[in-house]
Amino acid sequence: MALPFAASADFAISKDAGRPCPNLSDDFRCGIHARLRDSGFPGCTVYDCFGAGQKVSQVTFGRSWRDDPGIAAQMFEVFPVVRHLHELLWYLDEAMSLPVTRPIHAELRAAFEETERLTTGTPADLLGVDVAAHRDKVNALLLRTSELVRASAGGRAAADRRGADLIGARLRGADLRGANLRGAYLIGADLRGADLRGADLIGADLRGADLGGADLTGSVFLTQVQVNAARGDAATKLPPALTRPAHWPATQAGPSAAPERASTRRPRPRRRRG
């Protein structure tokens, strides 16, 4: 209901913000959830609000827009604010879990607690939050976290590919240990067998990227959304906090396996993080 989307390789139709998706059922469930990909909605299968939807409906407002239509407009304004804050909580929580961040753990904890406090505000409080300013403050800590992790990754070059256009790039077997891939466009890239241990993947667009046999253990700021948007196989190694997507094959793809047919429509790059 709250979010807009445009007809593309990710969505079969366009929808304005504040207008119900035609597949939304009366019980708030998706009427085509079991066949989203086959119905042309792969973008829905990879989306994650980081719990912001539940927070807004159950805590901020305590009721639904269907029960009280008068709150709908404000609820939909508040939702993206909470979604941004919850995403920052995800990154901060991961940063605090890393042994190499002990020198900045107190600062990370303080930022986490401040961000969490912001999420509990009233609708008016939340609409008054300067999300960009708060993200910049948190991002300074996430950058320091990234530097600590990448310095210990042991890569040969620790490539700086921040924001790079690597759409369709041939990176099969590449040594990307400790690489800075923040906000990089890796749409459809061939990363089969690549070593991404210790790489910073915050905001990297991995839609359609082939991660077959790639090693992403120890990579930082990789989310389930990014993993769901990529293609992998049984040999792909993921960080322990992430789940292997159900649409990935249960066996390792062979070297001669035919790639999936590419869409005739070029995906729109998403806004970079960090």
Side-chain angles (χ1 to χ4, degrees):
M1 177 69 174
L3 298 176
F5 48 76
S8 63
D10 294 322
F11 300 101
I13 61 173
S14 295
K15 185 189 84 68
D16 295 330
R19 181 167 65 86
C21 174
N23 300 309
L24 180 65
S25 303
D26 291 339
D27 61 358
F28 294 101
R29 295 176 183 271
C30 173
I32 60 169
H33 182 74
R35 57 181 193 280
L36 278 167
R37 286 182 174 272
D38 293 338
S39 301
F41 290 89
C44 294
T45 69
V46 303
Y47 178 74
D48 188 351
C49 70
F50 295 94
Q54 293 89 333
K55 181 66 139 310
V56 170
S57 59
Q58 297 174 21
V59 178
T60 310
F61 288 88
R63 58 197 186 281
S64 78
W65 51 267
R66 275 182 171 153
D67 295 331
D68 185 356
I71 66 171
Q74 188 179 46
M75 179 178 280
F76 302 152
E77 281 189 272
V78 166
F79 170 73
V81 175
V82 178
R83 200 266 182 197
H84 283 305
L85 295 175
H86 272 224
E87 184 180 16
L88 292 177
L89 287 174
W90 168 276
Y91 293 136
L92 287 167
D93 183 67
E94 179 179 357
M96 287 189 293
S97 73
L98 303 171
V100 294
T101 63
R102 287 194 184 96
I104 60 171
H105 193 273
E107 294 172 79
L108 290 168
R109 169 58 63 183
F112 183 93
E113 292 175 351
E114 181 185 1
T115 305
E116 192 170 42
R117 179 186 60 77
L118 290 174
T119 69
T120 62
T122 65
D125 292 336
L126 286 162
L127 291 176
V129 173
D130 188 337
V131 175
H134 186 69
R135 178 180 286 277
D136 286 345
K137 183 163 61 174
V138 171
N139 192 50
L141 288 172
L142 300 182
L143 281 168
R144 290 170 64 187
T145 297
S146 173
E147 291 164 0
L148 290 169
V149 171
R150 291 188 292 110
S152 63
R156 289 181 301 173
D160 187 353
R161 303 287 183 86
R162 181 173 183 172
D165 184 349
L166 297 171
I167 296 176
R170 298 177 180 178
L171 296 168
R172 186 173 184 176
D175 182 358
L176 294 170
R177 286 175 294 166
N180 183 357
L181 292 166
R182 296 170 69 91
Y185 296 115
L186 288 157
I187 302 169
D190 183 357
L191 288 159
R192 287 174 292 173
D195 191 343
L196 289 151
R197 289 176 292 172
D200 183 350
L201 291 164
I202 193 168
D205 195 335
L206 292 169
R207 283 178 292 169
D210 193 340
L211 298 175
D215 190 349
L216 294 104
T217 55
S219 60
V220 287
F221 306 136
L222 178 68
T223 67
Q224 192 67 50
V225 172
Q226 292 166 292
V227 172
N228 290 349
R231 293 185 292 129
D233 59 20
T236 305
K237 297 179 182 178
L238 296 173
L242 301 179
T243 303
R244 190 175 303 276
H247 64 276
W248 284 12
T251 57
Q252 181 176 359
S256 60
E260 294 182 8
R261 181 176 295 177
S263 168
T264 57
R265 291 174 291 185
R266 182 178 172 116
R268 296 182 180 181
R270 291 176 179 145
R271 182 176 298 174
R272 296 192 293 270
R273 305 289 184 197

